[in-house]
PDB file of all heavy atoms in Angstrom:
ATOM      1  N   LYS A  73      68.895 127.603 148.132  1.00 92.00           N
ATOM      2  CA  LYS A  73      70.131 126.887 148.006  1.00 92.00           C
ATOM      3  C   LYS A  73      71.313 127.826 148.020  1.00 92.00           C
ATOM      4  O   LYS A  73      72.313 127.561 148.686  1.00 92.00           O
ATOM      5  CB  LYS A  73      70.099 126.015 146.808  1.00 92.00           C
ATOM      6  CG  LYS A  73      71.349 125.118 146.622  1.00 92.00           C
ATOM      7  CD  LYS A  73      71.233 124.265 145.395  1.00 92.00           C
ATOM      8  CE  LYS A  73      72.501 123.396 145.225  1.00 92.00           C
ATOM      9  NZ  LYS A  73      72.393 122.568 144.006  1.00 92.00           N
ATOM     10  N   ASP A  74      71.215 128.880 147.250  1.00 92.00           N
ATOM     11  CA  ASP A  74      72.295 129.857 147.131  1.00 92.00           C
ATOM     12  C   ASP A  74      72.554 130.510 148.483  1.00 92.00           C
ATOM     13  O   ASP A  74      73.722 130.700 148.953  1.00 92.00           O
ATOM     14  CB  ASP A  74      71.939 130.916 146.088  1.00 92.00           C
ATOM     15  CG  ASP A  74      73.066 131.891 145.875  1.00 92.00           C
ATOM     16  OD1 ASP A  74      74.207 131.486 145.544  1.00 92.00           O
ATOM     17  OD2 ASP A  74      72.846 133.108 146.042  1.00 92.00           O
ATOM     18  N   MET A  75      71.513 130.930 149.221  1.00 93.00           N
ATOM     19  CA  MET A  75      71.679 131.548 150.507  1.00 93.00           C
ATOM     20  C   MET A  75      72.266 130.556 151.539  1.00 93.00           C
ATOM     21  O   MET A  75      73.040 130.971 152.378  1.00 93.00           O
ATOM     22  CB  MET A  75      70.314 132.090 151.013  1.00 93.00           C
ATOM     23  CG  MET A  75      69.750 133.222 150.200  1.00 93.00           C
ATOM     24  SD  MET A  75      70.827 134.717 150.284  1.00 93.00           S
ATOM     25  CE  MET A  75      70.691 135.113 152.013  1.00 93.00           C
ATOM     26  N   THR A  76      71.866 129.311 151.405  1.00 92.00           N
ATOM     27  CA  THR A  76      72.409 128.286 152.375  1.00 92.00           C
ATOM     28  C   THR A  76      73.914 128.106 152.139  1.00 92.00           C
ATOM     29  O   THR A  76      74.690 128.001 153.102  1.00 92.00           O
ATOM     30  CB  THR A  76      71.694 126.945 152.152  1.00 92.00           C
ATOM     31  OG1 THR A  76      70.295 127.147 152.372  1.00 92.00           O
ATOM     32  CG2 THR A  76      72.191 125.923 153.174  1.00 92.00           C
ATOM     33  N   ASP A  77      74.294 128.052 150.863  1.00 93.00           N
ATOM     34  CA  ASP A  77      75.742 127.922 150.567  1.00 93.00           C
ATOM     35  C   ASP A  77      76.531 129.135 151.064  1.00 93.00           C
ATOM     36  O   ASP A  77      77.626 128.941 151.656  1.00 93.00           O
ATOM     37  CB  ASP A  77      75.932 127.783 149.042  1.00 93.00           C
ATOM     38  CG  ASP A  77      75.417 126.432 148.508  1.00 93.00           C
ATOM     39  OD1 ASP A  77      75.256 125.565 149.327  1.00 93.00           O
ATOM     40  OD2 ASP A  77      75.113 126.357 147.282  1.00 93.00           O
ATOM     41  N   LYS A  78      75.968 130.325 150.861  1.00 92.00           N
ATOM     42  CA  LYS A  78      76.680 131.526 151.327  1.00 92.00           C
ATOM     43  C   LYS A  78      76.800 131.558 152.849  1.00 92.00           C
ATOM     44  O   LYS A  78      77.786 131.928 153.415  1.00 92.00           O
ATOM     45  CB  LYS A  78      75.914 132.793 150.839  1.00 92.00           C
ATOM     46  CG  LYS A  78      76.002 133.045 149.367  1.00 92.00           C
ATOM     47  CD  LYS A  78      75.286 134.299 148.978  1.00 92.00           C
ATOM     48  CE  LYS A  78      75.406 134.594 147.505  1.00 92.00           C
ATOM     49  NZ  LYS A  78      74.690 135.791 147.058  1.00 92.00           N
ATOM     50  N   TYR A  79      75.695 131.067 153.521  1.00 92.00           N
ATOM     51  CA  TYR A  79      75.720 131.007 154.995  1.00 92.00           C
ATOM     52  C   TYR A  79      76.779 130.029 155.473  1.00 92.00           C
ATOM     53  O   TYR A  79      77.544 130.327 156.412  1.00 92.00           O
ATOM     54  CB  TYR A  79      74.346 130.643 155.489  1.00 92.00           C
ATOM     55  CG  TYR A  79      74.265 130.408 156.960  1.00 92.00           C
ATOM     56  CD1 TYR A  79      74.364 131.517 157.832  1.00 92.00           C
ATOM     57  CD2 TYR A  79      74.024 129.110 157.498  1.00 92.00           C
ATOM     58  CE1 TYR A  79      74.244 131.316 159.191  1.00 92.00           C
ATOM     59  CE2 TYR A  79      73.959 128.914 158.861  1.00 92.00           C
ATOM     60  CZ  TYR A  79      74.052 130.054 159.680  1.00 92.00           C
ATOM     61  OH  TYR A  79      73.964 129.818 161.050  1.00 92.00           O
ATOM     62  N   LYS A  80      76.876 128.867 154.827  1.00 93.00           N
ATOM     63  CA  LYS A  80      77.860 127.864 155.237  1.00 93.00           C
ATOM     64  C   LYS A  80      79.279 128.445 155.004  1.00 93.00           C
ATOM     65  O   LYS A  80      80.198 128.178 155.832  1.00 93.00           O
ATOM     66  CB  LYS A  80      77.697 126.608 154.491  1.00 93.00           C
ATOM     67  CG  LYS A  80      76.386 125.824 154.922  1.00 93.00           C
ATOM     68  CD  LYS A  80      76.275 124.568 154.129  1.00 93.00           C
ATOM     69  CE  LYS A  80      75.046 123.787 154.551  1.00 93.00           C
ATOM     70  NZ  LYS A  80      74.857 122.485 153.741  1.00 93.00           N
ATOM     71  N   ARG A  81      79.538 129.111 153.855  1.00 93.00           N
ATOM     72  CA  ARG A  81      80.842 129.626 153.599  1.00 93.00           C
ATOM     73  C   ARG A  81      81.179 130.751 154.594  1.00 93.00           C
ATOM     74  O   ARG A  81      82.337 130.834 155.067  1.00 93.00           O
ATOM     75  CB  ARG A  81      80.850 130.211 152.184  1.00 93.00           C
ATOM     76  CG  ARG A  81      81.004 129.144 151.094  1.00 93.00           C
ATOM     77  CD  ARG A  81      81.464 129.781 149.776  1.00 93.00           C
ATOM     78  NE  ARG A  81      80.451 130.719 149.269  1.00 93.00           N
ATOM     79  CZ  ARG A  81      79.507 130.350 148.415  1.00 93.00           C
ATOM     80  NH1 ARG A  81      79.321 129.113 148.058  1.00 93.00           N
ATOM     81  NH2 ARG A  81      78.649 131.313 147.960  1.00 93.00           N
ATOM     82  N   ALA A  82      80.212 131.538 154.980  1.00 93.00           N
ATOM     83  CA  ALA A  82      80.461 132.612 155.977  1.00 93.00           C
ATOM     84  C   ALA A  82      80.793 131.972 157.334  1.00 93.00           C
ATOM     85  O   ALA A  82      81.723 132.427 158.011  1.00 93.00           O
ATOM     86  CB  ALA A  82      79.234 133.478 156.083  1.00 93.00           C
ATOM     87  N   LEU A  83      80.124 130.902 157.703  1.00 92.00           N
ATOM     88  CA  LEU A  83      80.416 130.218 158.927  1.00 92.00           C
ATOM     89  C   LEU A  83      81.884 129.652 158.913  1.00 92.00           C
ATOM     90  O   LEU A  83      82.603 129.784 159.918  1.00 92.00           O
ATOM     91  CB  LEU A  83      79.415 129.084 159.216  1.00 92.00           C
ATOM     92  CG  LEU A  83      78.056 129.487 159.728  1.00 92.00           C
ATOM     93  CD1 LEU A  83      77.200 128.235 159.888  1.00 92.00           C
ATOM     94  CD2 LEU A  83      78.153 130.260 161.037  1.00 92.00           C
ATOM     95  N   ALA A  84      82.222 129.051 157.775  1.00 93.00           N
ATOM     96  CA  ALA A  84      83.577 128.437 157.639  1.00 93.00           C
ATOM     97  C   ALA A  84      84.671 129.556 157.757  1.00 93.00           C
ATOM     98  O   ALA A  84      85.670 129.397 158.423  1.00 93.00           O
ATOM     99  CB  ALA A  84      83.694 127.712 156.334  1.00 93.00           C
ATOM    100  N   ASP A  85      84.412 130.703 157.035  1.00 93.00           N
ATOM    101  CA  ASP A  85      85.356 131.786 157.100  1.00 93.00           C
ATOM    102  C   ASP A  85      85.524 132.360 158.521  1.00 93.00           C
ATOM    103  O   ASP A  85      86.634 132.670 158.948  1.00 93.00           O
ATOM    104  CB  ASP A  85      84.898 132.942 156.116  1.00 93.00           C
ATOM    105  CG  ASP A  85      85.026 132.507 154.690  1.00 93.00           C
ATOM    106  OD1 ASP A  85      85.761 131.558 154.409  1.00 93.00           O
ATOM    107  OD2 ASP A  85      84.365 133.137 153.792  1.00 93.00           O
ATOM    108  N   THR A  86      84.393 132.468 159.175  1.00 92.00           N
ATOM    109  CA  THR A  86      84.410 132.967 160.555  1.00 92.00           C
ATOM    110  C   THR A  86      85.203 132.015 161.473  1.00 92.00           C
ATOM    111  O   THR A  86      85.999 132.487 162.314  1.00 92.00           O
ATOM    112  CB  THR A  86      82.971 133.148 161.103  1.00 92.00           C
ATOM    113  OG1 THR A  86      82.261 133.998 160.237  1.00 92.00           O
ATOM    114  CG2 THR A  86      82.992 133.709 162.517  1.00 92.00           C
ATOM    115  N   GLU A  87      84.995 130.699 161.328  1.00 93.00           N
ATOM    116  CA  GLU A  87      85.703 129.742 162.135  1.00 93.00           C
ATOM    117  C   GLU A  87      87.225 129.783 161.833  1.00 93.00           C
ATOM    118  O   GLU A  87      88.044 129.698 162.762  1.00 93.00           O
ATOM    119  CB  GLU A  87      85.122 128.301 161.896  1.00 93.00           C
ATOM    120  CG  GLU A  87      85.852 127.243 162.653  1.00 93.00           C
ATOM    121  CD  GLU A  87      85.670 127.382 164.155  1.00 93.00           C
ATOM    122  OE1 GLU A  87      84.763 128.114 164.657  1.00 93.00           O
ATOM    123  OE2 GLU A  87      86.460 126.729 164.904  1.00 93.00           O
ATOM    124  N   ASN A  88      87.573 129.888 160.540  1.00 94.00           N
ATOM    125  CA  ASN A  88      88.986 130.009 160.223  1.00 94.00           C
ATOM    126  C   ASN A  88      89.609 131.245 160.762  1.00 94.00           C
ATOM    127  O   ASN A  88      90.759 131.225 161.288  1.00 94.00           O
ATOM    128  CB  ASN A  88      89.162 130.004 158.681  1.00 94.00           C
ATOM    129  CG  ASN A  88      88.794 128.654 158.066  1.00 94.00           C
ATOM    130  OD1 ASN A  88      88.882 127.646 158.708  1.00 94.00           O
ATOM    131  ND2 ASN A  88      88.374 128.678 156.810  1.00 94.00           N
TER     132      ASN A  88
END
Side-chain angles (χ1 to χ4, degrees):
K73 183 179 179 181
D74 184 56
M75 292 297 294
T76 303
D77 292 340
K78 289 181 178 179
Y79 175 69
K80 289 181 178 179
R81 285 197 295 269
L83 284 180
D85 292 340
T86 303
E87 179 62 19
N88 292 334

